[in-house]
Amino acid sequence: NAGVTQTPKFQVLKTGQSMTLQCAQDMNHEYMSWYRQDPGMGLRLIHYSVGAGITDQGEVPNGYNVSRSTTEDFPLRLLSAAPSQTSVYFCASSYEGDGYTFGSGTRLTVV
Amino acid sequence: GNSVTQMEGPVTLSEEAFLTINCTYTATGYPSLFWYVQYPGEGLQLLLKATKADDKGSNKGFEATYRKETTSFHLEKGSVQVSDSAVYFCALKISGYQGAQKLVFGQGTRLTINP
């Protein structure tokens, strides 16, 4: 089925560990974004990309890295996990900028 | 700056009641406006959108009108169902680096419909 696929769905990390959240879309969308969702704060933009090889920071980029080597994939890397990064992470993609399609999310807990 | 303010939740209604969830925004220029819905354990789904002033977006019985004069985009439904229970997010779209289209979200409003 076409859409945005995120893996893993759940993850528990220890403080200081690193990991990569995967995001893939099969709709040939130019734009891809990573958001985090925290209670009472809506969704906040972490990083985004306007195409392969082009990324930029969003509202809350600290502690996260991204790269976009292909149109399909947009992984999010946590370099050294902290409890403040406990959140639900959503990847989204769009072609013309309208009608963003969201993945089902990754629930991350940092202990 | 760009921001979205939503009606505080949670909101609890009885089935067939009238629903309004308020949303106001602050933006430079003329943003597009969206309502997204999130069902438990799922990602966000686009519910409706409006791209210019006085546009009305509608879907599944929900409606919202882009009011430039009051910078508002309130969500309404005439008769809610239990299946409408979800979290609703208002958002605006702004242009960023190299034309990227970024969404700015409100904090979300949790809606519960009782039978």
Side-chain angles (χ1 to χ4, degrees):
Chain A
N1 293 332
V4 178
T5 302
Q6 290 185 238
T7 56
K9 291 190 182 301
F10 301 94
Q11 182 71 49
V12 178
L13 289 179
K14 293 182 179 179
T15 297
Q17 285 185 316
S18 63
M19 80 159 294
T20 300
L21 307 185
Q22 301 292 344
C23 175
Q25 52 94 5
D26 58 3
M27 299 172 284
N28 202 32
H29 283 173
E30 293 178 308
Y31 303 114
M32 296 187 74
S33 303
W34 276 102
Y35 291 86
R36 60 177 288 172
Q37 183 179 23
D38 301 294
M41 300 188 73
L43 278 78
R44 292 181 292 168
L45 181 64
I46 304 171
H47 285 284
Y48 64 99
S49 169
V50 303
I54 307 171
T55 64
D56 199 10
Q57 296 180 351
E59 181 184 359
V60 287
N62 292 341
Y64 307 95
N65 275 358
V66 293
S67 61
R68 185 129 176 244
S69 56
T70 67
T71 299
E72 294 78 18
D73 299 302
F74 191 43
L76 178 72
R77 298 182 188 85
L78 281 70
L79 306 175
S80 177
S84 61
Q85 294 178 304
T86 294
S87 187
V88 181
Y89 292 85
F90 289 100
C91 180
S93 74
S94 171
Y95 178 61
E96 293 290 341
D98 275 341
Y100 276 77
T101 300
F102 281 79
S104 58
T106 295
R107 184 174 295 275
L108 175 68
T109 301
V110 183
V111 298
Chain B
N2 300 294
S3 65
V4 175
T5 301
Q6 276 184 243
M7 174 179 178
E8 291 277 342
V11 174
T12 302
L13 296 172
S14 298
E15 205 165 22
E16 300 183 0
F18 184 86
L19 168 71
T20 299
I21 300 178
N22 290 338
C23 171
T24 57
Y25 68 89
T26 303
T28 54
Y30 304 98
S32 294
L33 301 173
F34 302 83
W35 277 99
Y36 281 84
V37 59
Q38 184 179 33
Y39 299 103
E42 298 184 10
L44 277 72
Q45 301 174 24
L46 178 63
L47 181 59
L48 54 84
K49 67 179 182 181
T51 58
K52 62 184 186 297
D54 300 325
D55 269 3
K56 176 184 283 188
S58 61
N59 186 27
K60 299 181 180 180
F62 291 90
E63 293 183 338
T65 301
Y66 190 142
R67 301 288 188 196
K68 182 182 171 186
E69 63 277 12
T70 55
T71 62
S72 64
F73 192 55
H74 305 322
L75 182 68
E76 296 181 337
K77 186 174 185 181
S79 177
V80 293
Q81 305 301 312
V82 172
S83 58
D84 294 327
S85 298
V87 180
Y88 292 81
F89 292 93
C90 185
L92 62 82
K93 185 183 74 174
I94 57 175
S95 295
Y97 174 66
Q98 295 205 0
Q101 306 293 295
K102 298 189 290 184
L103 290 175
V104 175
F105 286 90
Q107 74 272 32
T109 301
R110 182 176 299 278
L111 174 66
T112 301
I113 308 299
N114 294 322

Short mmCIF file of all heavy atoms in Angstrom, two decimals, chain B residues 40-69:
data_model
loop_
_atom_site.label_atom_id
_atom_site.label_comp_id
_atom_site.label_asym_id
_atom_site.label_seq_id
_atom_site.Cartn_x
_atom_site.Cartn_y
_atom_site.Cartn_z
N PRO B 40 -6.90 7.17 18.00
CA PRO B 40 -5.98 6.54 18.96
C PRO B 40 -5.00 5.59 18.29
O PRO B 40 -5.39 4.71 17.51
CB PRO B 40 -6.94 5.81 19.90
CG PRO B 40 -8.21 6.60 19.84
CD PRO B 40 -8.30 7.09 18.42
N GLY B 41 -3.72 5.77 18.62
CA GLY B 41 -2.69 4.88 18.12
C GLY B 41 -2.32 5.05 16.66
O GLY B 41 -1.56 4.24 16.12
N GLU B 42 -2.83 6.09 16.03
CA GLU B 42 -2.57 6.28 14.60
C GLU B 42 -1.86 7.60 14.34
O GLU B 42 -1.71 8.46 15.22
CB GLU B 42 -3.88 6.24 13.82
CG GLU B 42 -4.61 4.91 13.93
CD GLU B 42 -5.86 4.88 13.06
OE1 GLU B 42 -6.05 5.80 12.24
OE2 GLU B 42 -6.63 3.92 13.21
N GLY B 43 -1.43 7.77 13.10
CA GLY B 43 -0.86 9.04 12.67
C GLY B 43 -1.95 10.04 12.35
O GLY B 43 -3.14 9.78 12.53
N LEU B 44 -1.54 11.22 11.88
CA LEU B 44 -2.51 12.25 11.54
C LEU B 44 -3.05 12.04 10.14
O LEU B 44 -2.32 11.68 9.22
CB LEU B 44 -1.84 13.64 11.61
CG LEU B 44 -1.74 14.26 13.00
CD1 LEU B 44 -0.70 13.54 13.84
CD2 LEU B 44 -1.40 15.74 12.88
N GLN B 45 -4.35 12.34 9.99
CA GLN B 45 -4.99 12.27 8.69
C GLN B 45 -5.54 13.65 8.35
O GLN B 45 -6.13 14.31 9.20
CB GLN B 45 -6.14 11.26 8.70
CG GLN B 45 -5.76 9.85 9.05
CD GLN B 45 -6.98 8.96 9.18
OE1 GLN B 45 -8.02 9.23 8.59
NE2 GLN B 45 -6.85 7.89 9.94
N LEU B 46 -5.36 14.05 7.11
CA LEU B 46 -5.91 15.33 6.68
C LEU B 46 -7.43 15.24 6.66
O LEU B 46 -8.00 14.35 6.02
CB LEU B 46 -5.40 15.68 5.28
CG LEU B 46 -5.93 16.98 4.68
CD1 LEU B 46 -5.49 18.18 5.51
CD2 LEU B 46 -5.44 17.13 3.24
N LEU B 47 -8.09 16.16 7.36
CA LEU B 47 -9.55 16.18 7.40
C LEU B 47 -10.11 17.15 6.37
O LEU B 47 -10.99 16.81 5.59
CB LEU B 47 -10.01 16.58 8.80
CG LEU B 47 -11.52 16.64 9.05
CD1 LEU B 47 -12.16 15.28 8.78
CD2 LEU B 47 -11.82 17.10 10.47
N LEU B 48 -9.59 18.38 6.35
CA LEU B 48 -10.03 19.36 5.37
C LEU B 48 -9.02 20.49 5.30
O LEU B 48 -8.17 20.61 6.18
CB LEU B 48 -11.44 19.88 5.68
CG LEU B 48 -11.69 20.47 7.07
CD1 LEU B 48 -11.27 21.93 7.15
CD2 LEU B 48 -13.16 20.35 7.46
N LYS B 49 -9.15 21.29 4.23
CA LYS B 49 -8.21 22.39 4.07
C LYS B 49 -8.88 23.56 3.35
O LYS B 49 -9.92 23.40 2.70
CB LYS B 49 -7.00 21.94 3.28
CG LYS B 49 -7.31 21.59 1.83
CD LYS B 49 -6.06 21.16 1.08
CE LYS B 49 -6.38 20.87 -0.38
NZ LYS B 49 -5.19 20.42 -1.14
N ALA B 50 -8.25 24.74 3.46
CA ALA B 50 -8.68 25.93 2.73
C ALA B 50 -7.43 26.71 2.37
O ALA B 50 -6.54 26.87 3.20
CB ALA B 50 -9.63 26.78 3.56
N THR B 51 -7.36 27.18 1.15
CA THR B 51 -6.12 27.79 0.69
C THR B 51 -6.18 29.30 0.57
O THR B 51 -5.15 29.94 0.41
CB THR B 51 -5.71 27.20 -0.67
OG1 THR B 51 -6.78 27.41 -1.60
CG2 THR B 51 -5.43 25.71 -0.55
N LYS B 52 -7.37 29.91 0.64
CA LYS B 52 -7.45 31.36 0.58
C LYS B 52 -8.68 31.85 1.34
O LYS B 52 -9.58 31.08 1.68
CB LYS B 52 -7.50 31.85 -0.86
CG LYS B 52 -8.69 31.37 -1.66
CD LYS B 52 -8.58 31.84 -3.09
CE LYS B 52 -9.82 31.52 -3.89
NZ LYS B 52 -10.07 30.09 -4.01
N ALA B 53 -8.68 33.15 1.59
CA ALA B 53 -9.74 33.76 2.38
C ALA B 53 -11.11 33.45 1.80
O ALA B 53 -11.31 33.46 0.59
CB ALA B 53 -9.51 35.27 2.47
N ASP B 54 -12.05 33.15 2.72
CA ASP B 54 -13.45 32.85 2.42
C ASP B 54 -13.67 31.45 1.85
O ASP B 54 -14.81 31.05 1.63
CB ASP B 54 -14.08 33.89 1.51
CG ASP B 54 -14.08 35.27 2.12
OD1 ASP B 54 -14.23 35.37 3.35
OD2 ASP B 54 -13.89 36.25 1.37
N ASP B 55 -12.59 30.70 1.62
CA ASP B 55 -12.75 29.31 1.21
C ASP B 55 -13.38 28.51 2.34
O ASP B 55 -13.07 28.73 3.51
CB ASP B 55 -11.38 28.68 0.88
CG ASP B 55 -11.01 28.83 -0.57
OD1 ASP B 55 -11.78 29.45 -1.33
OD2 ASP B 55 -9.93 28.32 -0.94
N LYS B 56 -14.20 27.55 1.98
CA LYS B 56 -14.76 26.62 2.98
C LYS B 56 -14.25 25.23 2.64
O LYS B 56 -14.48 24.73 1.54
CB LYS B 56 -16.28 26.64 2.97
CG LYS B 56 -16.91 25.62 3.92
CD LYS B 56 -18.43 25.60 3.83
CE LYS B 56 -19.04 26.76 4.55
NZ LYS B 56 -20.53 26.65 4.62
N GLY B 57 -13.59 24.61 3.60
CA GLY B 57 -13.21 23.21 3.46
C GLY B 57 -14.26 22.33 4.10
O GLY B 57 -14.87 22.71 5.10
N SER B 58 -14.49 21.16 3.52
CA SER B 58 -15.48 20.26 4.09
C SER B 58 -15.12 18.81 3.79
O SER B 58 -14.51 18.50 2.76
CB SER B 58 -16.88 20.56 3.54
OG SER B 58 -16.91 20.38 2.14
N ASN B 59 -15.50 17.93 4.74
CA ASN B 59 -15.22 16.51 4.58
C ASN B 59 -15.91 15.76 5.72
O ASN B 59 -15.86 16.20 6.87
CB ASN B 59 -13.72 16.23 4.61
CG ASN B 59 -13.38 14.79 4.30
OD1 ASN B 59 -14.12 14.10 3.62
ND2 ASN B 59 -12.25 14.35 4.81
N LYS B 60 -16.56 14.66 5.41
CA LYS B 60 -17.19 13.78 6.41
C LYS B 60 -18.15 14.55 7.33
O LYS B 60 -18.29 14.21 8.51
CB LYS B 60 -16.12 13.10 7.26
CG LYS B 60 -15.18 12.22 6.47
CD LYS B 60 -14.15 11.55 7.39
CE LYS B 60 -13.21 10.69 6.59
NZ LYS B 60 -12.20 10.04 7.45
N GLY B 61 -18.81 15.58 6.84
CA GLY B 61 -19.74 16.35 7.64
C GLY B 61 -19.11 17.49 8.42
O GLY B 61 -19.81 18.32 9.00
N PHE B 62 -17.78 17.56 8.42
CA PHE B 62 -17.07 18.65 9.07
C PHE B 62 -16.88 19.80 8.07
O PHE B 62 -16.72 19.57 6.87
CB PHE B 62 -15.68 18.19 9.55
CG PHE B 62 -15.71 17.24 10.68
CD1 PHE B 62 -15.75 15.87 10.45
CD2 PHE B 62 -15.67 17.69 11.99
CE1 PHE B 62 -15.77 14.97 11.50
CE2 PHE B 62 -15.68 16.79 13.05
CZ PHE B 62 -15.73 15.44 12.81
N GLU B 63 -16.90 21.03 8.62
CA GLU B 63 -16.67 22.21 7.79
C GLU B 63 -15.82 23.22 8.55
O GLU B 63 -15.84 23.26 9.79
CB GLU B 63 -18.01 22.91 7.45
CG GLU B 63 -18.93 22.12 6.57
CD GLU B 63 -20.17 22.93 6.23
OE1 GLU B 63 -20.50 23.87 6.99
OE2 GLU B 63 -20.83 22.61 5.23
N ALA B 64 -15.09 24.04 7.79
CA ALA B 64 -14.34 25.15 8.38
C ALA B 64 -14.17 26.20 7.30
O ALA B 64 -13.89 25.88 6.15
CB ALA B 64 -12.99 24.69 8.90
N THR B 65 -14.34 27.49 7.68
CA THR B 65 -14.23 28.59 6.74
C THR B 65 -13.05 29.45 7.10
O THR B 65 -12.87 29.84 8.27
CB THR B 65 -15.52 29.43 6.74
OG1 THR B 65 -16.62 28.59 6.38
CG2 THR B 65 -15.41 30.58 5.73
N TYR B 66 -12.23 29.77 6.12
CA TYR B 66 -11.05 30.61 6.27
C TYR B 66 -11.51 32.06 6.41
O TYR B 66 -11.95 32.67 5.44
CB TYR B 66 -10.19 30.44 5.02
CG TYR B 66 -8.81 31.01 5.00
CD1 TYR B 66 -7.79 30.31 4.37
CD2 TYR B 66 -8.49 32.25 5.55
CE1 TYR B 66 -6.49 30.81 4.30
CE2 TYR B 66 -7.22 32.75 5.49
CZ TYR B 66 -6.22 32.05 4.86
OH TYR B 66 -4.95 32.56 4.79
N ARG B 67 -11.40 32.60 7.63
CA ARG B 67 -11.82 33.98 7.89
C ARG B 67 -10.60 34.86 8.10
O ARG B 67 -9.98 34.84 9.16
CB ARG B 67 -12.70 34.03 9.14
CG ARG B 67 -13.95 33.18 9.08
CD ARG B 67 -14.97 33.76 8.15
NE ARG B 67 -16.25 33.02 8.23
CZ ARG B 67 -17.20 33.12 7.32
NH1 ARG B 67 -17.03 33.88 6.24
NH2 ARG B 67 -18.33 32.45 7.48
N LYS B 68 -10.25 35.61 7.08
CA LYS B 68 -9.05 36.44 7.17
C LYS B 68 -9.26 37.59 8.15
O LYS B 68 -8.34 37.96 8.88
CB LYS B 68 -8.72 36.98 5.77
CG LYS B 68 -7.48 37.83 5.70
CD LYS B 68 -7.26 38.35 4.30
CE LYS B 68 -6.14 39.37 4.25
NZ LYS B 68 -6.02 39.99 2.91
N GLU B 69 -10.47 38.14 8.20
CA GLU B 69 -10.70 39.32 9.03
C GLU B 69 -10.59 39.01 10.52
O GLU B 69 -10.22 39.88 11.31
CB GLU B 69 -12.07 39.94 8.72
CG GLU B 69 -13.27 39.04 9.02
CD GLU B 69 -13.58 38.06 7.91
OE1 GLU B 69 -12.76 37.89 6.98
OE2 GLU B 69 -14.67 37.44 7.98
#
